[in-house]
Amino acid sequence: MNEIKEIPTPSAAPPDILRCAYMEIVVSDLAASREFYVDNLGLVVTWESDTEIYLRTFEEFIHHNLVLRVGPEPAVAAFGFRVRSQEDVDKAEAYYQELGCETKRSEEGFVRGIRNAVRVLDPLGFPYEFFYEVDHVERLAWAYERQGAGALVRLDHFNQVFPDVDNGAKYLEALGFKRTEDIVDDDGVTYAAWFCRKHTVHDTALTGGAGPRMHHIAFSTHEKHNILYICDKLGALRKSDMIERGPGRHGVSNAFYLYLRDPDGHRVEIYTQDYYTGDPDNPLVSWDVHDNQRRDFWGHQVVPSWYTDASRVLDLDGHLVPLIEREEPKEMDVTIGADGFSYTRKGDTEKGYKLGGQV
Amino acid sequence: MNEIKEIPTPSAAPPDILRCAYMEIVVSDLAASREFYVDNLGLVVTWESDTEIYLRTFEEFIHHNLVLRVGPEPAVAAFGFRVRSQEDVDKAEAYYQELGCETKRSEEGFVRGIRNAVRVLDPLGFPYEFFYEVDHVERLAWAYERQGAGALVRLDHFNQVFPDVDNGAKYLEALGFKRTEDIVDDDGVTYAAWFCRKHTVHDTALTGGAGPRMHHIAFSTHEKHNILYICDKLGALRKSDMIERGPGRHGVSNAFYLYLRDPDGHRVEIYTQDYYTGDPDNPLVSWDVHDNQRRDFWGHQVVPSWYTDASRVLDLDGHLVPLIEREEPKEMDVTIGADGFSYTRKGDTEKGYKLGGQV
Amino acid sequence: MNEIKEIPTPSAAPPDILRCAYMEIVVSDLAASREFYVDNLGLVVTWESDTEIYLRTFEEFIHHNLVLRVGPEPAVAAFGFRVRSQEDVDKAEAYYQELGCETKRSEEGFVRGIRNAVRVLDPLGFPYEFFYEVDHVERLAWAYERQGAGALVRLDHFNQVFPDVDNGAKYLEALGFKRTEDIVDDDGVTYAAWFCRKHTVHDTALTGGAGPRMHHIAFSTHEKHNILYICDKLGALRKSDMIERGPGRHGVSNAFYLYLRDPDGHRVEIYTQDYYTGDPDNPLVSWDVHDNQRRDFWGHQVVPSWYTDASRVLDLDGHLVPLIEREEPKEMDVTIGADGFSYTRKGDTEKGYKLGGQV
Amino acid sequence: MNEIKEIPTPSAAPPDILRCAYMEIVVSDLAASREFYVDNLGLVVTWESDTEIYLRTFEEFIHHNLVLRVGPEPAVAAFGFRVRSQEDVDKAEAYYQELGCETKRSEEGFVRGIRNAVRVLDPLGFPYEFFYEVDHVERLAWAYERQGAGALVRLDHFNQVFPDVDNGAKYLEALGFKRTEDIVDDDGVTYAAWFCRKHTVHDTALTGGAGPRMHHIAFSTHEKHNILYICDKLGALRKSDMIERGPGRHGVSNAFYLYLRDPDGHRVEIYTQDYYTGDPDNPLVSWDVHDNQRRDFWGHQVVPSWYTDASRVLDLDGHLVPLIEREEPKEMDVTIGADGFSYTRKGDTEKGYKLGGQV
């Protein structure tokens, strides 16, 4: 497991994945997590007990988008994808078995509200779940009286940390994901890449680094002011130290963003307004890793913790999947600090009014 | 053509439609239309001549979303849908031929930027085009220096007027569209229905009325304030009489809306923020025609012209397709005025502070 | 009282009025009013009992901006203005005594939180209060965790209905108010006028009509989307029939507006973003009564109830002040319907896409 | 001039200052400055020549809010304040003469559009101008067709750097300014203070540091998204290095902010939504210098250049006024880095997810 092997492409057809649908995360203090996700962020509780909370966004009609489960060590237990039909669950199972991955099938479902699902430990070491059968719940899109100023209306995407982005991308593309954007350099190194199934910029992304780890889960709001309000509310609650990065405008995806850290350090992005990607020939957007506007279109430096920190993931038995280090150059190293460099205008040596080694 | 026949379902597979992609409309004064669509609304000119203007939205990467062609009489020449592959164009041709519809194939394309397309006069009498091959142009999503305060970023949907919504819906559903919302009454009458291919509430809709006619074409903005700005700008230009209805919040679709009328009376909607509909079991939302919040969630009366006016459509030879009257009850009649009624709270007879017969 | 007399200008100096500060209104059902003002609009409760509720906006530091008092008949008991010092309260008392108006002084204050105030029945028949001494309360400007999506942050202005706007304006200007905008016609008739003390377009306005009556009280939000949210929330609560007019953009004041009606029919405006008026030579903006963008910059028709309905006011003994009819032409009559006319472009006879006699 | 003397309070009455009204700055490259202020920020040109550009905001009715004058060295030539009447200009002249300051009177005015003004070199070393007579120009509040997505609608305030904030505050308060907020520590050191005449949080502020220098000039937008757009536009123009700090929410003032640097390094703030301060007993808000939310309510670190950089000011003869160093502790030193500290929650030692020494 400690080195990355070439991943074969199965002969079996991949499942028809609709979208990223939910994440199951392990949290150390359920009350603290509830305060963050329910009281502060306003996610809707579908079901809860002393050990689990099922949460959804306001426009969701399936049972949940996030499961919080109390456990000894913060980690991610599953990245859940919904597929088009129950047959696609079978296809997923066969696909991963052909890949030689461990798979688990559950008629009653691994979590509440979902039945007849399969979980796999994928070739990159991530616990993926594929499901179709799910309880429908009330879509609260019109329930404005319940929606606060920072209402989270959809689950937008996952982001995964993995050492070898090129190899990981090949696997995801074979699985049916379409690459929409990436960050590369002139030497052919890929630092990160974004992949979609639904018609947004991504359902998941690969960020180069020691992995497998979960970089963040992203929820979307309707407008930018909703995201600003979340910052204002955290400030008012004297929790501004949960704001890790942003708000700002991404270069990649063109979306408006904010990164928070939950009480266990799991990273949550709040995200809005990327673009339609549903056509098969949707143009790939490649960004130079030294372009200072790739990660923040306004040229603000990415904080180091955003590059270094991420959540560990669990295998199908609930044990931490071992980490593999990245061998290629790291984005933080090549862009920040004495040894890195970034430009605002390619070829322009003029210095702007920015911090240190950034410009 | 003057009565509606039962529409058979072909044995041939329908084309895999990606999305509504462009509309070709005939305008009587190209300079006046250019002022409206380019100077006032800010659509991007891809190409133009003395007789035609090709326009696109800021996030579009295909050649155009709207073609304005000068002609003797305002009308709609084509509703263009993009399909997944060139094979799907062939499938479309075969599908409509089996339906007994007139079809036309053009290798060089019916309009600039598109090749190898098929046009059909569909069973409802609408000129549909299906295409895959298209010139890519610069996606101006990041070109904020060119985007005004009311930037139109995507083509969102078409809306078609047709007398028999149920019959029309059956045809569209067989073609692969999914019904997302509708307006009905307790007697089983359908007044309007919405249908999607991409993951929004609709790519097209059927509005009950004398048809075939084009009710509107809709472009989307990122945020609601962009739509408010368009009103402010039209006010500043002393063109407020081009604002027909809104801005407001739709009940159906939950989107924020505005209806304008171009210099020929073609109706343009500006639209933002409906919800994800990409799952196959996306719940259908049915609205009671007497629910006063179905068309405007804030309970404002729909102006009569919005119900009565629409643009005529052309057949493949450029002649107006004859109109068929609606035989079922009309939404305007059953909801507005002395003979109609609407409620804010079903069963509640309390009168609110609204105009006349509305509440 | 039933005809309007010439109002003399006192020799005494007028009080230095800071701003409109609070209104006391009589409501018939305190629970229903509480639901509207507290649960729906989110005003902050400073103090309440079974018979009274004291409310304030989020940025206010004085005790209240609105007093709801239960009573047999809906009416307005006081328009409260804050003055610069306690001496200005004395000046106000002397000023109105010289005008021959009934005045009442109260050391303990007419309402909680305010002391040493004077109430007068002014020459137009309105109950005005002037005060300086007031309890300070917490300014909740930074309390974003308490502020909803439609947060009302300030009391902006009052609006009074009075038959003779010119005569009323002379009185207000002598009292130290500055006229910022008005609506007039070519025959010299004034239909409405706006007057400020603080640096906004108005602290109060006179709307021509049978009076004295209270047309509305206006609270402001920070942004336009806050106002849109209030509509969305009322829609979600199935209370859209409380929305009387708007949202829209005013011509007069350039502000974004919404008019609601409370459970007793008292009109409440939600208002945002007019302009700075603090310079003594601030230019007066005069609008032609036939300019269809004067009341709504987007050219939407004003609903008749907005012109006809208003709240009665009480004298210092709690009795309704008798009404005087307007003798000059009425704005509704000259602008709407068969006998009225409005234009979008002066001198232009082209018809736009608007309702009936409006354009 | 190189040490700060006690500033006496004149016996003469101070002028009645209305508001900060305009700044005159010297720029090294007029074309580059025009590109920044006109093309990028969209300020309205009232008048221009090869050596000067007069600019105003969209809601302004006086001749200008900013004068750019080409010169050998970037600096500030005047902080212009409008007073209530021409008599107040005389009062200003007498007031500063009694203070022993150099004064200059000009009937024709120091700049275009303004007549009969006085300039003084005030006791802190700043060139202040007081004027009343000014040309009125068109107020473009309603000219939405000219207003871009980032429209600057008002001049909001100045910010001045001066070593001894307490001494400077005493002078400004005697001149009639009201202190609205400040940043202090438990030892009685004042790091910065804010002062108003109009009804906003400030017309000017004193920031502790080597001075006299100009820290920034601030223009306001209507909404927060207008400010975000300015960032997006600068990003699109590949000028993101002109963004020095923000956007963010201030603790002090509660406003939403962005700091830019013009081509000469003059700092420009874009600002929106502080609160009403017009009452004489408006509560002072004091912030602890160690409170990490005082400068950015979301807890983001202030970039060092924001503390260290500022523009030099000119005396009445056009020579640079010599600098005096600050002797008291500096805000940057006590809050950032190894020797400084900041807290999110007073007394709480828990570490959040922030950079280095900040939390």
Side-chain angles (χ1 to χ4, degrees):
Chain A
M1 181 67 77
N2 276 36
E3 59 182 61
I4 300 167
K5 303 169 197 113
E6 186 73 12
I7 302 160
T9 298
S11 60
D16 186 349
I17 297 171
L18 295 169
R19 55 165 169 145
C20 66
Y22 87 94
M23 191 180 280
E24 180 186 349
I25 63 176
V26 178
V27 300
S28 62
D29 177 342
L30 197 63
S33 294
R34 192 185 197 287
E35 182 179 326
F36 178 74
Y37 288 103
V38 180
D39 299 340
N40 299 347
L41 292 187
L43 286 168
V44 178
V45 178
T46 297
W47 191 86
E48 62 183 322
S49 72
D50 288 349
T51 57
E52 294 177 323
I53 306 178
Y54 288 73
L55 298 168
R56 72 183 193 271
T57 53
F58 280 99
E59 293 183 358
E60 188 54 81
F61 73 94
I62 65 169
H63 188 265
H64 57 262
N65 299 126
L66 183 65
V67 179
L68 308 176
R69 187 186 304 280
V70 75
E73 188 166 16
V76 173
F79 297 75
F81 293 90
R82 193 164 191 224
V83 293
R84 186 167 296 279
S85 68
Q86 196 52 44
E87 291 68 48
D88 287 296
V89 178
D90 300 336
K91 284 189 188 173
E93 191 172 17
Y95 189 86
Y96 282 95
Q97 286 176 346
E98 186 176 341
L99 276 168
C101 295
E102 188 190 350
T103 68
K104 252 191 193 171
R105 187 70 179 252
S106 171
E107 287 305 311
E108 71 275 19
F110 300 95
V111 293
R112 284 176 177 265
I114 290 175
R115 284 167 303 286
N116 214 346
V118 67
R119 284 194 174 180
V120 309
L121 192 67
D122 84 358
L124 312 188
F126 290 94
Y128 268 27
E129 175 175 319
F130 299 92
F131 71 94
Y132 172 73
E133 288 184 23
V134 63
D135 289 347
H136 285 209
V137 290
E138 189 186 0
R139 177 172 249 163
L140 295 167
W142 291 264
Y144 292 101
E145 83 285 6
R146 296 185 56 177
Q147 295 178 22
L152 303 182
V153 296
R154 307 187 196 178
L155 170 66
D156 192 86
H157 63 263
F158 305 145
N159 189 307
Q160 309 172 234
V161 186
F162 188 69
D164 181 340
V165 175
D166 283 324
N167 214 20
K170 254 181 61 184
Y171 150 68
L172 285 174
E173 287 166 345
L175 187 56
F177 284 90
K178 177 169 58 193
R179 187 194 297 218
T180 55
E181 304 205 20
D182 54 25
I183 294 176
V184 296
D185 67 17
D186 290 345
D187 298 329
V189 177
T190 305
Y191 294 84
W194 285 257
F195 307 92
C196 77
R197 286 294 305 175
K198 66 175 161 22
H199 299 164
T200 62
V201 170
H202 51 324
D203 285 276
T204 196
L206 293 181
T207 298
R213 291 185 297 166
M214 187 277 283
H215 192 271
H216 63 263
I217 177 172
F219 299 100
S220 50
T221 63
H222 277 139
E223 304 203 331
K224 296 183 284 290
H225 64 79
N226 302 118
I227 292 182
L228 303 181
Y229 174 79
I230 292 170
C231 296
D232 287 337
K233 183 175 176 182
L234 290 172
L237 293 168
R238 286 285 159 183
K239 293 185 171 191
S240 64
D241 49 351
M242 302 188 101
I243 302 174
E244 184 189 40
R245 181 185 157 208
R249 168 77 63 189
H250 281 311
V252 172
S253 83
N254 201 28
F256 193 76
Y257 73 87
L258 170 72
Y259 292 98
L260 306 175
R261 300 293 290 270
D262 88 356
D264 285 300
H266 297 305
R267 186 179 289 106
V268 175
E269 182 177 13
I270 318 294
Y271 181 95
T272 194
Q273 292 161 29
D274 58 12
Y275 54 89
Y276 168 81
T277 60
D279 285 17
D281 54 346
N282 179 71
L284 172 68
V285 179
S286 279
W287 296 79
D288 179 358
V289 72
H290 298 293
D291 180 346
N292 199 37
Q293 295 187 180
R294 76 201 180 287
R295 291 274 184 194
D296 184 276
F297 198 59
W298 308 338
H300 287 314
Q301 200 173 27
V302 176
V303 295
S305 64
W306 191 91
Y307 282 124
T308 57
D309 297 3
S311 298
R312 298 292 296 273
V313 303
L314 301 179
D315 65 21
L316 303 190
D317 300 316
H319 302 123
L320 289 179
V321 178
L323 291 189
I324 306 173
E325 289 299 320
R326 177 171 170 88
E327 296 183 358
E328 290 173 299
K330 292 173 185 166
E331 185 171 342
M332 186 170 80
D333 296 342
V334 302
T335 57
I336 304 180
D339 300 329
F341 74 96
S342 295
Y343 60 81
T344 300
R345 293 165 295 275
K346 190 158 194 178
D348 188 350
T349 57
E350 197 183 335
K351 206 182 154 337
Y353 291 92
K354 290 286 182 177
L355 272 176
Q358 182 184 17
V359 184
Chain B
M1 180 69 75
N2 275 36
E3 60 182 61
I4 300 169
K5 305 170 196 110
E6 186 72 13
I7 302 161
T9 298
S11 61
D16 186 349
I17 297 170
L18 295 169
R19 54 163 170 147
C20 66
Y22 87 95
M23 191 180 280
E24 180 187 349
I25 64 176
V26 178
V27 300
S28 62
D29 178 341
L30 197 63
S33 295
R34 193 185 196 288
E35 181 178 327
F36 178 73
Y37 288 103
V38 179
D39 298 341
N40 299 346
L41 292 188
L43 286 169
V44 178
V45 178
T46 298
W47 191 86
E48 63 183 321
S49 72
D50 287 350
T51 57
E52 294 176 323
I53 306 178
Y54 288 73
L55 298 167
R56 70 182 194 272
T57 53
F58 281 99
E59 293 182 359
E60 189 54 81
F61 73 95
I62 65 169
H63 187 264
H64 57 262
N65 299 125
L66 183 65
V67 180
L68 308 176
R69 186 186 304 281
V70 75
E73 188 166 15
V76 173
F79 296 74
F81 293 90
R82 194 165 191 223
V83 294
R84 186 166 299 279
S85 68
Q86 196 51 45
E87 293 69 47
D88 288 295
V89 178
D90 301 336
K91 283 190 188 173
E93 190 172 17
Y95 189 86
Y96 282 96
Q97 286 175 346
E98 186 176 342
L99 276 168
C101 294
E102 187 190 350
T103 68
K104 254 193 192 168
R105 189 71 179 251
S106 173
E107 288 304 311
E108 71 276 19
F110 300 95
V111 293
R112 284 175 176 264
I114 291 176
R115 285 166 303 285
N116 214 345
V118 67
R119 283 194 175 181
V120 308
L121 191 67
D122 85 359
L124 311 188
F126 290 94
Y128 269 27
E129 175 176 319
F130 300 92
F131 71 95
Y132 172 73
E133 287 184 21
V134 64
D135 289 346
H136 285 208
V137 289
E138 189 186 3
R139 177 172 249 164
L140 295 167
W142 291 264
Y144 291 102
E145 82 286 6
R146 296 186 55 177
Q147 295 179 22
L152 304 181
V153 296
R154 308 186 194 178
L155 170 66
D156 192 85
H157 63 264
F158 305 145
N159 189 308
Q160 310 171 233
V161 185
F162 188 68
D164 181 340
V165 176
D166 282 324
N167 214 19
K170 255 181 60 184
Y171 150 68
L172 285 174
E173 288 165 344
L175 187 56
F177 284 90
K178 176 169 61 192
R179 187 193 298 216
T180 54
E181 305 207 19
D182 54 25
I183 294 177
V184 296
D185 69 16
D186 290 346
D187 300 328
V189 177
T190 306
Y191 294 84
W194 285 258
F195 306 92
C196 77
R197 286 293 305 175
K198 67 176 160 22
H199 299 164
T200 62
V201 170
H202 51 324
D203 285 276
T204 195
L206 293 179
T207 299
R213 290 185 297 165
M214 187 277 285
H215 193 272
H216 63 263
I217 178 172
F219 299 100
S220 49
T221 63
H222 277 139
E223 304 205 329
K224 296 183 286 290
H225 64 80
N226 301 117
I227 293 182
L228 303 181
Y229 174 80
I230 291 170
C231 297
D232 288 337
K233 184 176 176 181
L234 289 172
L237 293 168
R238 286 285 162 183
K239 293 186 170 190
S240 64
D241 49 350
M242 303 189 101
I243 303 174
E244 185 189 39
R245 181 185 157 208
R249 168 78 63 191
H250 281 312
V252 172
S253 83
N254 202 28
F256 194 76
Y257 73 87
L258 170 72
Y259 292 98
L260 306 175
R261 299 293 290 271
D262 87 357
D264 285 300
H266 296 306
R267 187 179 287 106
V268 175
E269 182 177 12
I270 318 294
Y271 181 95
T272 193
Q273 293 162 26
D274 59 11
Y275 54 89
Y276 168 82
T277 60
D279 285 16
D281 54 345
N282 179 70
L284 173 69
V285 179
S286 280
W287 296 79
D288 180 357
V289 73
H290 298 293
D291 180 346
N292 199 37
Q293 296 188 181
R294 76 200 180 289
R295 290 276 184 194
D296 184 276
F297 198 60
W298 308 338
H300 287 313
Q301 199 173 27
V302 176
V303 294
S305 65
W306 191 91
Y307 282 124
T308 57
D309 296 3
S311 299
R312 297 293 295 273
V313 303
L314 302 179
D315 66 20
L316 303 191
D317 300 317
H319 303 122
L320 288 180
V321 178
L323 291 189
I324 306 173
E325 289 298 319
R326 176 171 170 88
E327 296 183 358
E328 291 173 298
K330 292 172 186 166
E331 184 170 343
M332 186 171 80
D333 297 341
V334 302
T335 57
I336 304 181
D339 300 328
F341 73 97
S342 294
Y343 59 81
T344 300
R345 292 165 293 275
K346 191 159 194 178
D348 187 349
T349 57
E350 196 183 337
K351 204 180 153 341
Y353 291 92
K354 290 286 183 180
L355 271 177
Q358 181 184 18
V359 184
Chain C
M1 182 68 75
N2 276 36
E3 60 182 64
I4 300 167
K5 303 170 199 113
E6 185 74 10
I7 302 161
T9 299
S11 60
D16 186 349
I17 297 170
L18 295 170
R19 54 164 171 147
C20 66
Y22 88 94
M23 192 180 280
E24 179 186 349
I25 64 176
V26 178
V27 300
S28 62
D29 178 341
L30 197 63
S33 294
R34 193 186 196 286
E35 181 178 327
F36 178 73
Y37 288 103
V38 179
D39 299 341
N40 299 347
L41 292 187
L43 286 169
V44 178
V45 178
T46 298
W47 190 86
E48 62 183 321
S49 72
D50 288 349
T51 57
E52 293 177 323
I53 306 178
Y54 288 73
L55 298 167
R56 71 182 193 273
T57 52
F58 281 99
E59 293 183 359
E60 187 55 80
F61 73 94
I62 65 169
H63 188 264
H64 57 262
N65 299 126
L66 183 65
V67 180
L68 308 175
R69 186 187 306 282
V70 75
E73 188 165 14
V76 174
F79 297 76
F81 293 90
R82 193 165 192 223
V83 293
R84 185 167 298 278
S85 69
Q86 196 52 44
E87 292 69 47
D88 288 295
V89 177
D90 301 336
K91 283 188 189 173
E93 190 172 19
Y95 189 86
Y96 282 95
Q97 285 175 346
E98 185 176 341
L99 276 168
C101 294
E102 188 189 351
T103 68
K104 253 191 192 169
R105 188 71 180 251
S106 171
E107 288 303 311
E108 71 274 20
F110 299 95
V111 293
R112 285 176 176 265
I114 290 175
R115 285 166 303 287
N116 213 346
V118 67
R119 284 194 173 181
V120 307
L121 192 67
D122 83 358
L124 311 188
F126 289 95
Y128 268 28
E129 175 176 319
F130 299 93
F131 71 95
Y132 172 72
E133 288 184 20
V134 63
D135 289 347
H136 285 207
V137 290
E138 189 185 2
R139 177 172 249 165
L140 296 166
W142 291 264
Y144 291 101
E145 82 285 7
R146 294 186 55 177
Q147 294 179 23
L152 304 181
V153 297
R154 307 187 196 178
L155 170 66
D156 191 85
H157 63 264
F158 305 145
N159 189 308
Q160 308 171 237
V161 185
F162 187 68
D164 182 340
V165 175
D166 283 323
N167 214 21
K170 255 181 60 183
Y171 150 68
L172 284 174
E173 288 165 345
L175 188 56
F177 284 90
K178 177 168 60 194
R179 188 194 297 216
T180 55
E181 305 205 19
D182 54 25
I183 294 176
V184 297
D185 68 16
D186 290 344
D187 300 328
V189 177
T190 306
Y191 294 84
W194 285 257
F195 307 92
C196 77
R197 287 293 305 175
K198 64 176 160 23
H199 299 164
T200 62
V201 170
H202 51 324
D203 285 277
T204 196
L206 292 180
T207 298
R213 291 185 298 167
M214 187 277 284
H215 193 271
H216 62 264
I217 178 172
F219 299 100
S220 49
T221 63
H222 277 138
E223 304 203 332
K224 297 184 284 289
H225 64 78
N226 302 118
I227 292 181
L228 303 180
Y229 174 79
I230 291 170
C231 296
D232 288 337
K233 184 175 176 182
L234 289 172
L237 293 169
R238 286 285 160 183
K239 293 185 170 190
S240 64
D241 50 350
M242 302 188 102
I243 301 174
E244 186 189 37
R245 182 184 156 209
R249 169 77 64 191
H250 281 310
V252 172
S253 82
N254 201 27
F256 193 76
Y257 73 85
L258 170 71
Y259 292 98
L260 306 175
R261 300 294 289 270
D262 88 357
D264 285 300
H266 297 305
R267 187 179 289 106
V268 175
E269 182 177 12
I270 318 295
Y271 181 95
T272 192
Q273 292 161 28
D274 59 10
Y275 54 90
Y276 168 81
T277 61
D279 284 17
D281 54 347
N282 179 71
L284 172 68
V285 179
S286 279
W287 297 78
D288 179 358
V289 72
H290 298 293
D291 179 346
N292 198 37
Q293 296 187 181
R294 77 200 180 288
R295 291 275 184 195
D296 184 275
F297 198 59
W298 308 338
H300 287 314
Q301 200 171 28
V302 176
V303 295
S305 65
W306 191 90
Y307 281 125
T308 57
D309 297 3
S311 299
R312 298 293 295 273
V313 303
L314 301 179
D315 66 19
L316 303 191
D317 299 316
H319 302 123
L320 290 178
V321 177
L323 292 189
I324 306 173
E325 290 298 321
R326 176 170 169 88
E327 295 182 359
E328 291 173 299
K330 292 172 185 167
E331 185 171 342
M332 186 170 81
D333 297 341
V334 302
T335 57
I336 304 181
D339 300 329
F341 75 95
S342 295
Y343 59 81
T344 300
R345 292 165 294 276
K346 192 159 192 178
D348 188 350
T349 57
E350 196 183 335
K351 204 180 153 341
Y353 291 92
K354 290 286 182 177
L355 272 176
Q358 183 184 16
V359 185
Chain D
M1 181 68 76
N2 274 34
E3 61 182 60
I4 300 168
K5 305 170 197 112
E6 185 74 12
I7 301 162
T9 298
S11 60
D16 185 349
I17 298 170
L18 295 169
R19 53 164 171 147
C20 64
Y22 88 93
M23 191 179 281
E24 180 186 348
I25 63 176
V26 178
V27 300
S28 61
D29 178 341
L30 197 63
S33 295
R34 194 187 196 286
E35 181 179 326
F36 178 73
Y37 288 103
V38 179
D39 299 341
N40 299 346
L41 293 187
L43 286 169
V44 178
V45 177
T46 298
W47 191 87
E48 62 183 323
S49 72
D50 288 349
T51 56
E52 293 177 322
I53 305 178
Y54 288 73
L55 299 167
R56 71 181 193 273
T57 53
F58 280 99
E59 292 183 358
E60 187 55 79
F61 73 95
I62 65 169
H63 188 264
H64 57 261
N65 299 126
L66 182 65
V67 179
L68 308 176
R69 186 187 303 280
V70 75
E73 188 166 15
V76 174
F79 297 75
F81 294 90
R82 194 165 191 224
V83 294
R84 186 166 299 279
S85 69
Q86 196 52 44
E87 292 69 48
D88 287 296
V89 177
D90 300 336
K91 283 190 189 173
E93 190 173 17
Y95 189 86
Y96 282 95
Q97 286 176 346
E98 185 176 342
L99 276 168
C101 295
E102 187 189 350
T103 69
K104 253 193 192 167
R105 189 70 179 252
S106 171
E107 288 304 311
E108 71 275 20
F110 300 95
V111 292
R112 285 176 175 266
I114 290 176
R115 285 166 302 285
N116 213 345
V118 67
R119 283 194 175 180
V120 308
L121 192 67
D122 84 358
L124 312 187
F126 289 95
Y128 268 27
E129 175 176 318
F130 300 92
F131 70 95
Y132 172 73
E133 288 184 21
V134 63
D135 288 347
H136 285 208
V137 290
E138 190 186 2
R139 177 173 250 163
L140 295 167
W142 290 263
Y144 291 102
E145 83 285 7
R146 296 185 55 178
Q147 296 178 22
L152 304 182
V153 297
R154 308 187 195 178
L155 170 66
D156 193 84
H157 63 263
F158 305 145
N159 189 308
Q160 309 171 234
V161 185
F162 188 68
D164 181 341
V165 176
D166 283 324
N167 214 20
K170 255 181 59 183
Y171 150 69
L172 284 173
E173 287 166 344
L175 188 55
F177 284 90
K178 176 168 60 191
R179 187 194 297 218
T180 54
E181 305 206 18
D182 54 25
I183 294 177
V184 296
D185 68 16
D186 290 345
D187 299 328
V189 177
T190 305
Y191 293 85
W194 285 257
F195 307 91
C196 77
R197 286 294 305 176
K198 66 176 161 24
H199 298 163
T200 62
V201 169
H202 52 323
D203 284 277
T204 196
L206 292 180
T207 298
R213 290 186 298 166
M214 188 276 285
H215 192 271
H216 63 264
I217 178 171
F219 299 100
S220 49
T221 64
H222 277 138
E223 303 203 331
K224 296 184 285 289
H225 64 79
N226 302 119
I227 293 182
L228 303 180
Y229 174 80
I230 292 171
C231 296
D232 288 338
K233 184 176 176 181
L234 289 172
L237 293 169
R238 285 285 160 181
K239 293 186 171 191
S240 64
D241 50 351
M242 302 189 102
I243 302 174
E244 185 189 39
R245 181 184 158 208
R249 168 78 64 190
H250 281 310
V252 171
S253 82
N254 201 28
F256 193 76
Y257 73 87
L258 170 72
Y259 291 98
L260 306 175
R261 300 293 290 270
D262 88 357
D264 285 300
H266 296 306
R267 187 180 288 106
V268 175
E269 182 177 12
I270 318 294
Y271 181 95
T272 193
Q273 293 162 28
D274 59 10
Y275 54 88
Y276 168 81
T277 60
D279 285 16
D281 54 346
N282 179 70
L284 172 69
V285 179
S286 280
W287 297 80
D288 180 357
V289 73
H290 298 292
D291 180 346
N292 197 39
Q293 296 187 181
R294 77 200 179 289
R295 291 275 183 194
D296 184 276
F297 197 59
W298 308 338
H300 287 313
Q301 200 172 27
V302 176
V303 294
S305 65
W306 192 90
Y307 282 124
T308 57
D309 296 3
S311 299
R312 298 293 295 273
V313 304
L314 301 179
D315 66 21
L316 303 191
D317 299 316
H319 302 123
L320 288 178
V321 178
L323 292 189
I324 307 173
E325 289 299 320
R326 176 170 168 89
E327 296 183 359
E328 292 173 296
K330 292 174 185 166
E331 185 170 343
M332 186 170 81
D333 297 340
V334 302
T335 58
I336 304 180
D339 300 328
F341 74 96
S342 295
Y343 60 81
T344 300
R345 292 165 295 276
K346 191 159 193 177
D348 188 350
T349 57
E350 197 183 335
K351 203 179 152 345
Y353 291 92
K354 290 284 182 179
L355 272 175
Q358 183 183 16
V359 186

